[in-house]
């Protein structure tokens, strides 16, 4: 291929042409699917995976509910922080998109005129996945698989070099892991306070599990308080009648 000849001995460009070459050989309908999946679908899948994990944590309850929900809250926050960190990185590196420097690429998405390093999509999905891993390893491993697939799709679409993706995966992992202790120290007390709330405690755990948490912390469920008051009143009436 002409592109491979132009790339010389650069393995990054060689791998770009190899992966993007799959788009040239694929039928148009498959490329349209990959365009949607790589641009929107996998990001949506990550959001749904985080929500699914939250729903399971909420239903299960227990002592780990509040820390797990705190980790799930940290996941999107970590993605946002990682994207902000990427802003000066892109401005410093100033790497053009691959299709601007290399001919013969099959570009599936138009309008990408910003810098290429590092990939925002890879950064966001990996930060979400690592934050999810802190909350639940099983869901986190699925999320990491989605993040790797996202990176592949970005190269397949011709909008990123492989090293753009590797940089994004590394950045998302670093931000989510390195700042996780601080984030958990700040967010866990908040989620524990929400768990004890009679109005919004359902966001952390279901009613039965929340009652267990309240008893563990020395509190009483509103329903339990009413029931106890009714029992005490009935007992007092029987004493008076006697």
């Amino acid at each position: 291929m002409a592109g491979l000849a132009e790339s010389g001995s650069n393995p990054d460009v060689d791998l770009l042409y190899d992966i993007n070459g799959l788009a040239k050989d694929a039928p148009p309908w498959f490329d349209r699917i990959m365009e949607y999946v790589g641009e929107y679908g996998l990001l949506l899948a990550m959001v749904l995976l985080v929500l699914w994990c939250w729903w399971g944590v909420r239903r299960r309850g227990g002592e780990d509910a509040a820390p797990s929900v705190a980790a799930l809250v940290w996941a999107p926050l970590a993605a946002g922080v990682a994207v902000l960190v990427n802003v000066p990185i892109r401005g410093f590196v100033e790497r053009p998109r691959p299709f601007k420097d290399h001919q013969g690429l099959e570009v599936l998405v138009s309008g990408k005129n910003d810098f290429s390093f590092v990939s925002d999509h890879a950064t966001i999905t990996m930060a979400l996945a690592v934050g999810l891993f802190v909350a639940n390893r099983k869901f986190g491993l699925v999320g990491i698989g989605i993040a790797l697939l996202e990176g592949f799709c970005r190269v397949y679409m011709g909008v990123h070099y492989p090293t753009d993706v590797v940089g994004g995966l590394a950045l998302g992992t670093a931000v989510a892991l390195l700042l996780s202790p601080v984030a958990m120290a700040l967010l866990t007390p908040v989620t524990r306070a929400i768990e004890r709330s009679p109005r919004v405690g359902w966001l952390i755990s279901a009613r039965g599990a929340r009652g267990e948490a309240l008893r563990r912390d020395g509190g009483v469920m509103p329903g339990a308080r009413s029931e106890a008051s009714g029992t005490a009143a009935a007992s007092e009436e029987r004493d008076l009648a006697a």
Side-chain angles (χ1 to χ4, degrees), residues 89-142:
I89 294 176
R90 281 195 168 191
F92 177 76
V93 177
E94 294 187 346
R95 186 184 201 182
R97 294 281 181 169
F99 54 82
K100 292 190 174 183
D101 288 341
H102 303 283
Q103 302 296 321
L105 291 174
E106 187 77 11
V107 183
L108 302 186
V109 180
S110 59
K112 299 290 183 179
N113 297 316
D114 54 343
F115 294 122
S116 184
F117 186 89
V118 296
S119 168
D120 276 340
H121 281 71
T123 300
I124 292 170
T125 51
M126 185 54 85
L128 286 170
V130 173
L132 192 56
F133 186 84
V134 174
N136 185 291
R137 291 189 177 183
K138 186 194 318 185
F139 280 89
L141 290 174
V142 175

Side-chain angles (χ1 to χ4, degrees), residues 19-41:
I19 296 176
N20 182 254
L22 299 174
K24 289 186 175 182
D25 298 332
W29 62 266
F30 184 80
D31 283 347
R32 285 195 295 271
I33 292 176
M34 290 293 287
E35 175 187 350
Y36 176 80
V37 168
E39 192 73 9
Y40 308 107

Side-chain angles (χ1 to χ4, degrees), residues 50-62 64-66 68-69 72 195 200-210:
V50 171
L51 291 175
W52 186 8
C53 184
W54 163 75
W55 186 257
V57 168
R58 175 190 170 276
R59 293 190 62 183
R60 185 171 61 252
D64 295 334
S68 296
V69 173
L72 293 174
E195 185 181 24
V200 294
W202 61 270
L203 291 170
I204 310 299
S205 61
R207 180 179 176 84
R210 189 165 75 254

Side-chain angles (χ1 to χ4, degrees), residues 42 125-126 142-153 165 169:
L42 293 176
T125 51
M126 185 54 85
V142 175
I144 291 172
I146 292 176
L148 295 175
L149 180 58
E150 178 69 270
F152 174 84
C153 287
V165 169
L169 298 176

